Amino acid sequence: MDMDGDWPLPRPRTLFKTDRRRSAASLTSKNSIASTFSSLAMPVVNEAVQRAKALATEADPEAFHQLRVAFRKLRALYWAYSPWLGEETTAQASDEFKRLAAVAGGTRDWDIAGELLRTAQKSDASIEPLVSAAREKRAQAVAHSQAMIDSDAVEAFLADALYRAQITLHSCCSDLPISAFARKRVRMAQRTLRKRSRRAVQSEAGHEESLHDVRKAGKKLRYLLEFFQPVIKGEHERTLKALTSAQKMLGEFNDIAASETLIRNTTFDKVPADVVEKSLQWLERVKCQRIEEASRSVKAISA
């Protein structure tokens, strides 16, 4: 795939380097919107590139997870700056971040499903064939991720994406302070989370999808608070703490729901149908327990 096709600007000769002495914690309200974007984006980009390079030879579950997180953080950052970056630039970059996160997430999804199946196996040894099959699927997912995530192409894409964003921002907001802008974008993310949380609390039909929407909105807000905390005023530590707690419950529920969907939509040639069905029934029972806990955590942040 030619990931440079949609990026008309010439590729920089050298990729952006991160000044490790300058982190988000060193940002101040005197920084401009443009310079703050660069300072926040480059460390995440560097991490994504290093993770992508490592995955060429490694199959560490945490590495796949952290690569997916890096792309999610970049999507949140581009959303925050979208009023100045423009819809087209934001959409192009965000779509590719989403695609790459999904490719990296394939292995992580089978890691989670495998862990859940091993837990189920403790109470029902007969599902061992499905546990073994999940290991094989995980190995296939690793090979697919490694084939699809070309670290050189990822590095070039990210360099071009940042170059385009920097050119745009420096041309229109290099002298505009970050504080008011950061507060406004955080407030918008907070409103979205509150709106989705209330909808989930009130919803009966499509409750699982509503909880998933809350989880995504919560992630976006958490990432923005982590990015902008040094330059926004207010007590956000309490918000971060509440978000972390809610995200934990929502994450556990999502892991089970996603694993159930993954197993239901996968063909296992060597696994008896009744074994798959017993595993799905076990996941459904656990999901029903987790959905209550997740719903309570959402109610707590919907007020």
Side-chain angles (χ1 to χ4, degrees), residues 163-220:
Y163 179 64
R164 178 173 181 148
Q166 287 180 322
I167 291 294
T168 299
L169 293 174
H170 281 289
S171 69
C172 62
C173 53
S174 61
D175 57 346
L176 298 179
I178 185 63
S179 295
F181 174 74
R183 287 195 299 271
K184 181 178 179 180
R185 299 307 282 170
V186 167
R187 283 196 301 269
M188 289 190 68
Q190 286 175 321
R191 285 197 294 268
T192 299
L193 175 60
R194 191 173 296 113
K195 182 178 179 180
R196 292 187 180 183
S197 298
R198 289 173 177 171
R199 184 185 303 158
V201 169
Q202 298 168 359
S203 172
E204 292 184 5
H207 191 45
E208 289 187 25
E209 185 177 347
S210 296
L211 289 176
H212 183 55
D213 288 342
V214 173
R215 180 170 173 267
K216 290 190 293 185
K219 281 181 176 292
K220 178 188 288 184

Side-chain angles (χ1 to χ4, degrees), residues 59-216:
D60 178 20
E62 185 63 17
F64 282 101
H65 174 59
Q66 292 302 325
L67 180 59
R68 181 163 61 174
V69 169
F71 288 127
R72 286 174 174 172
K73 286 183 177 180
L74 287 171
R75 284 186 71 197
L77 192 63
Y78 267 70
W79 175 85
Y81 284 84
S82 59
W84 292 106
L85 290 174
E87 291 184 6
E88 182 179 358
T89 296
T90 302
Q92 286 179 342
S94 296
D95 286 349
E96 187 62 12
F97 296 150
K98 184 177 182 179
R99 187 192 73 82
L100 290 168
V103 173
T107 297
R108 176 66 176 173
D109 291 342
W110 279 111
D111 283 325
I112 293 169
E115 291 174 5
L116 289 168
L117 289 173
R118 285 190 292 275
T119 299
Q121 186 183 11
K122 293 177 182 177
S123 58
D124 189 346
S126 69
I127 71 167
E128 195 280 330
L130 185 56
V131 175
S132 297
R135 283 197 293 267
E136 294 177 5
K137 294 295 183 182
R138 197 266 181 186
Q140 294 169 11
V142 169
H144 176 71
S145 295
Q146 290 175 330
M148 295 297 292
I149 300 177
D150 181 328
S151 61
D152 289 339
V154 168
E155 188 172 20
F157 159 71
L158 290 175
D160 285 348
L162 277 188
Y163 179 64
R164 178 173 181 148
Q166 287 180 322
I167 291 294
T168 299
L169 293 174
H170 281 289
S171 69
C172 62
C173 53
S174 61
D175 57 346
L176 298 179
I178 185 63
S179 295
F181 174 74
R183 287 195 299 271
K184 181 178 179 180
R185 299 307 282 170
V186 167
R187 283 196 301 269
M188 289 190 68
Q190 286 175 321
R191 285 197 294 268
T192 299
L193 175 60
R194 191 173 296 113
K195 182 178 179 180
R196 292 187 180 183
S197 298
R198 289 173 177 171
R199 184 185 303 158
V201 169
Q202 298 168 359
S203 172
E204 292 184 5
H207 191 45
E208 289 187 25
E209 185 177 347
S210 296
L211 289 176
H212 183 55
D213 288 342
V214 173
R215 180 170 173 267
K216 290 190 293 185

